Amino acid sequence: IESVNIQPITNKIVVGDLVELNATIYPANVKDSTLSWSLEETNYASIENNVLTALKPGNIVVNVTTVNNKKDSIELTIYTDVEITFDVEDSIEIEIDKTKKINVSISPSNIQFGNIHWYNENEEIATIENGFITPLKEGKTNITASIYYEDIEIKKTIEIYVDLPDIINVNLSENGNEN
């Protein structure tokens, strides 16, 4: 064997993931293509039968060695699986004359992140500030809450439908009583 190269791992690795490790050897037609996988730090992950198990967040170095001592390594980061949830459904209706507060939860609750950033697809329909939606005119818009955790943006979007308020017709008699 003249060389060995670990194939890139392009997906974000989160705690609990199982990732199959693969490497390419050159030349490919050798008698013994056995590879040995190892980690420089075993607190964050483990490897068994060329499958990496992500145990906890952190940086790791994965090594591969051939039978004739050719080596390659790759640095990886294991992340915590972070999720944004709202206290409402993924789609809500709001009347023009009312405001609505959307509360955001981040899980796990013990992670450190910056501010929640709000993005609005159509500010002519509604505005959002600190989770308060103010409807402006009838229509639909998408509003997204976003945080950054370990240099990765995590987003959650909600559809907002703004309706005109219901109009109630009341007929009054000449003396002001309802008919």
Side-chain angles (χ1 to χ4, degrees), residues 15-142:
V15 172
D17 280 355
L18 301 175
V19 180
E20 185 175 356
L21 301 171
N22 294 296
T24 304
I25 57 172
Y26 179 81
N29 59 347
V30 295
K31 276 187 177 180
D32 190 353
S33 61
T34 302
L35 299 174
S36 297
W37 295 92
S38 64
L39 292 165
E40 290 184 11
E41 177 57 66
T42 58
N43 290 330
Y44 303 106
S46 64
I47 297 176
E48 187 173 328
N49 299 323
N50 76 301
V51 175
L52 179 134
T53 302
L55 301 174
K56 68 181 190 178
N59 296 316
I60 61 172
V61 176
V62 176
N63 302 302
V64 65
T65 306
T66 65
V67 291
N68 66 334
N69 212 32
K70 300 295 180 186
K71 298 179 180 192
D72 191 20
S73 63
I74 187 171
E75 292 183 29
L76 300 172
T77 301
I78 299 172
Y79 297 94
T80 299
D81 196 11
V82 177
E83 182 179 32
I84 298 175
T85 56
F86 297 130
D87 65 342
V88 294
E89 300 295 321
D90 290 340
S91 172
I92 61 171
E93 292 183 18
I94 306 174
E95 290 182 0
I96 282 183
D97 60 347
K98 298 182 178 174
T99 60
K100 175 75 176 167
K101 170 78 168 134
I102 298 177
N103 293 304
V104 176
S105 298
I106 312 294
S107 62
S109 60
N110 63 343
I111 67 163
Q112 299 293 316
F113 62 91
N115 295 326
I116 297 172
H117 301 280
W118 293 96
Y119 301 99
N120 187 349
E121 185 179 272
N122 188 341
E123 292 187 357
E124 292 179 5
I125 302 297
T127 60
I128 185 152
E129 187 173 340
N130 297 323
F132 285 94
I133 300 170
T134 303
L136 301 175
K137 74 176 194 180
E138 191 175 21
K140 174 190 166 284
T141 188
N142 289 316

